[in-house]
Amino acid sequence: MSGNIELLSATLAKAKSEDRAALVAYLPAGFPTVDGGIEAIKAVIAGGADVVEVGLPHSDPVLDGAVIQTADDIALRGGVKIADVLRTVREAHAATGAPVLVMTYWNPIDRYGVERFATELAAAGGAGCILPDLPVQESALWREHAEKHGLATVFVVAPSSKDERLATITAAGSGFVYAASLMGVTGTRESVGNEAQELVRRTRATTELPVCVGLGVSNAVQAKEVAGFADGVIVGSAFVKLLLDAPDLPSGLAAVKALAGELAEGVRRG
């Protein structure tokens, strides 16, 4: 069975045709529970998210800030497994029709089996993987299986990436390019800054792929700012924090749906 890279590309193209940026939401699988995580994804899509990244919780999330680390810890203590991540993708996609990617560090896929993971992710209706710590020069095996199964391979670029390095990364990637707006870990920020706009400009000079910006966006004002220069706006920690702070799951679901609605207005640029 083939994965949904074409659905991902069509969704990003549709947003562009509407003269807006796509809203990409990140939520970890298994948080606050596996079922609760699936409901949270449905809620952000109902609120207006176009694409969802499902985080695969990891015991050493070096690129994630305190909010996502806390959620990952809750998921891991709850016993979340790769099978639960794949179930999350399957049920979220089946319920919404939206493109769903997995964001994961490389070690879990390597241990699970590259071909096995690609095969099962495609069978679950997944659109691809975001692989923040997989070096491009070591990615050939994954890319071979991803391409065979119709999955996107999304690499992360940072403000520190030199132009030649950007070209190497974007040539190897598919689906879109994840532009980290600043150096450091995930989390909400007071401002997104000029580094992100310059990184998008430099990245676009190397590729036709859409460029989506993440790290730091938490409200509609910031979403509008980023939508002015990027193809997609990625929001994670702000959604996760609402679920962490909520007194119960129904309150958390209502809060993330409402934030998705505000952000969806923000990315409409007008």
Side-chain angles (χ1 to χ4, degrees):
M1 180 170 174
S2 183
N4 271 314
I5 185 173
E6 290 184 2
L7 174 64
L8 173 65
S9 297
T11 302
L12 294 169
K14 181 174 183 287
K16 185 176 183 179
S17 75
E18 295 170 356
D19 191 33
R20 66 178 178 88
L23 176 59
V24 183
Y26 166 94
L27 288 163
F31 168 74
T33 62
V34 176
D35 288 340
I38 293 167
E39 291 306 312
I41 292 170
K42 293 179 189 176
V44 296
I45 293 171
D50 299 290
V51 178
V52 172
E53 304 172 6
V54 174
L56 193 159
H58 189 50
S59 56
D60 186 25
V62 292
L63 296 175
D64 293 310
V67 169
I68 290 173
Q69 284 188 21
T70 300
D72 275 8
D73 187 53
I74 291 168
L76 290 166
R77 283 191 281 118
V80 72
K81 302 282 192 295
I82 285 182
D84 299 311
V85 177
L86 293 166
R87 181 189 147 210
T88 298
V89 172
R90 181 182 303 108
E91 294 193 13
H93 173 64
T96 65
V100 182
L101 301 103
V102 170
M103 184 160 188
T104 178
Y105 295 96
W106 179 244
N107 182 258
I109 294 181
D110 196 33
R111 289 172 57 190
Y112 193 75
V114 175
E115 183 170 15
R116 178 186 177 198
F117 187 84
T119 302
E120 292 180 11
L121 179 57
C129 263
I130 301 164
L131 300 161
D133 68 338
L134 178 64
V136 170
Q137 60 271 26
E138 297 172 20
S139 67
L141 180 64
W142 164 259
R143 287 188 287 126
E144 176 193 335
H145 289 294
E147 192 171 341
K148 184 167 80 173
H149 290 288
L151 298 169
T153 298
V154 178
F155 289 112
V156 178
V157 297
S160 60
S161 304
K162 301 284 190 283
D163 290 351
E164 187 179 353
R165 178 75 180 152
L166 284 177
T168 301
I169 293 171
T170 59
S174 55
F176 64 91
V177 181
Y178 187 125
S181 65
L182 38 81
M183 302 303 294
V185 296
T186 58
T188 61
R189 298 288 193 292
E190 291 301 312
S191 65
V192 179
N194 295 325
E195 281 188 323
Q197 186 166 1
E198 177 62 11
L199 177 59
V200 169
R201 185 194 65 74
R202 291 171 52 227
T203 303
R204 281 198 176 133
T206 72
T207 184
E208 295 293 313
L209 290 172
V211 183
C212 301
V213 170
L215 271 64
V217 178
S218 61
N219 58 51
V221 173
Q222 292 171 337
K224 183 175 182 178
E225 178 192 349
V226 175
F229 59 81
D231 300 297
V233 180
I234 302 170
V235 180
S237 296
F239 287 122
V240 176
K241 190 171 190 307
L242 289 175
L243 291 170
L244 280 171
D245 292 348
D248 51 51
L249 183 60
S251 303
L253 297 178
V256 296
K257 182 179 178 182
L259 177 60
E262 293 166 21
L263 293 165
E265 287 300 311
V267 300
R268 277 164 172 76
R269 297 190 180 121

